[in-house]
Amino acid sequence: MFSMLILFTVTLSACSINSNDKNSWNHIKQQHKVVIGLDATFVPMGYENQQGNITGFDVDVAKAVLKQYNIKPVFQPIDWSMNVTELRNKTIDLIWNGFSINSQRKKVVNFTEPYLSNDQVLVTMKKSNISSLNEMHGKTLGVQAGSSGLNELNNNPKLLKQYIKNQSPVLYNSFTNAFIDLSSKRIDGLLIDSTYANYYVNHQKNPNDFSIVHSDFPKEYFAVGVRKDDDEMTNAINKGLNKIAKNGELKRICQKWFGKNYESPLLK
């Protein structure tokens, strides 16, 4: 009976520590494992390739950073519109997949230092002859649910939202499905991250079939999303990012995925 009481007390104590400890970095270092949430269709940031493996720019960056701490990243595909919920519920430890910094997200997550710049662009089919945002008047726009593009669309309605059909976009769970509908003319335009748009279009059989229209939406910056108040984790990721920026590994990864077409605040 006494031994059972001890076991119960130890178990209860362990649960209390795990549930109340806001800083999870020590636990992750002990486990040598961290779970990273991502949209597994977000080419080229983090996605599942034809062989069924998770790969991408952010995958390479995460591996390079976490290798310094002898921690293995486990990449967990999630519903991108639920990314913050997954983080707060501790089903994932980090959001690391082209996660843009914005004021709404800052209220509920910690952000690391930004490591890559990004813009919102409009992708259309060249045959549609849409070469500016105001030419989307009465046209159907696609946007990914939970994306920074949707956030910018709503925050800056005079740039694009006022022109589109019903002043309301068609929401998609992934950009892959949105591109299928764009090619099939079920939508007329797609508001999307420039990193995805450039990579996707350049890897199509006929890249000239597409037009990429640049916009006046504010420049964005990608960073890693960490649970609010998880400061040790945030600091550790920041140190790792700065180290690979200084030793040239971040530049090598950028050039691998983007050639010369990239901009990183850490490499200035």
Side-chain angles (χ1 to χ4, degrees):
M1 181 68 177
F2 180 70
S3 60
M4 289 179 65
L5 180 61
I6 292 176
L7 180 61
F8 177 78
T9 303
V10 171
T11 303
L12 182 61
S13 298
C15 290
S16 299
I17 291 171
N18 289 336
S19 61
N20 295 328
D21 187 10
K22 292 181 179 179
N23 285 300
S24 58
W25 182 239
N26 285 335
H27 175 73
I28 285 170
K29 284 195 296 182
Q30 291 171 3
Q31 297 294 316
H32 299 287
K33 182 178 74 172
V34 64
V35 180
I36 296 176
L38 80 167
D39 169 8
T41 67
F42 191 12
V43 180
M45 307 307 290
Y47 64 99
E48 184 175 323
N49 62 19
Q50 292 181 345
Q51 290 73 42
N53 300 316
I54 300 293
T55 186
F57 171 81
D58 274 331
V59 172
D60 285 353
V61 174
K63 287 179 178 178
V65 168
L66 295 168
K67 183 179 180 181
Q68 300 169 40
Y69 300 103
N70 192 29
I71 292 173
K72 178 184 177 182
V74 176
F75 298 98
Q76 177 63 50
I78 60 173
D79 178 346
W80 192 246
S81 66
M82 298 293 289
N83 49 32
V84 173
T85 301
E86 296 273 13
L87 184 68
R88 294 170 73 174
N89 289 345
K90 299 187 177 183
T91 51
I92 60 174
D93 300 305
L94 298 169
I95 304 171
W96 201 331
N97 189 216
F99 194 48
S100 301
I101 301 171
N102 64 44
S103 56
Q104 286 88 344
R105 288 170 174 171
K106 279 185 175 180
K107 296 175 183 177
V108 291
V109 302
N110 268 2
F111 277 105
T112 64
E113 294 180 41
Y115 58 86
L116 194 69
S117 303
N118 180 62
D119 300 289
Q120 289 298 320
V121 296
L122 176 69
V123 181
T124 64
M125 302 305 296
K126 189 163 289 185
K127 288 183 179 180
S128 69
N129 294 316
I130 297 171
S131 58
S132 65
L133 300 191
N134 58 15
E135 289 178 349
M136 282 292 293
H137 185 78
K139 304 290 186 181
T140 305
L141 177 74
V143 188
Q144 186 184 32
S147 68
S148 58
L150 179 60
N151 181 70
E152 294 298 342
L153 182 74
N154 291 326
N155 286 347
N156 302 277
K158 292 184 178 180
L159 288 179
L160 179 57
K161 189 175 183 179
Q162 67 170 341
Y163 300 118
I164 63 176
K165 185 177 180 180
N166 298 324
Q167 296 189 349
S168 179
V170 176
L171 298 181
Y172 290 90
N173 62 350
S174 75
F175 284 132
T176 302
N177 293 334
F179 264 109
I180 291 172
D181 277 6
L182 179 66
S183 299
S184 302
K185 300 180 181 180
R186 285 189 283 269
I187 59 175
D188 302 293
L190 175 60
L191 188 64
I192 185 173
D193 295 321
S194 59
T195 51
Y196 188 116
N198 292 331
Y199 190 92
Y200 183 94
V201 170
N202 288 335
H203 285 77
Q204 293 306 296
K205 184 178 180 180
N206 298 302
N208 291 330
D209 289 347
F210 297 86
S211 291
I212 296 178
V213 181
H214 294 276
S215 73
D216 291 327
F217 286 107
K219 182 176 285 293
E220 299 174 355
Y221 297 93
F222 290 156
V224 184
V226 187
R227 271 187 290 274
K228 202 70 175 173
D229 301 322
D230 206 341
D231 297 327
E232 290 182 25
M233 174 88 84
T234 306
N235 292 335
I237 300 298
N238 279 334
K239 288 179 181 178
L241 286 169
N242 280 280
K243 184 174 181 179
I244 65 170
K246 289 179 180 178
N247 67 19
E249 192 161 8
L250 179 59
K251 182 177 181 179
R252 180 188 63 78
I253 296 171
C254 286
Q255 291 178 340
K256 170 186 173 182
W257 289 98
F258 306 119
K260 296 181 179 180
N261 190 23
Y262 68 90
E263 180 183 344
S264 170
L266 294 179
L267 297 176
K268 291 184 176 180

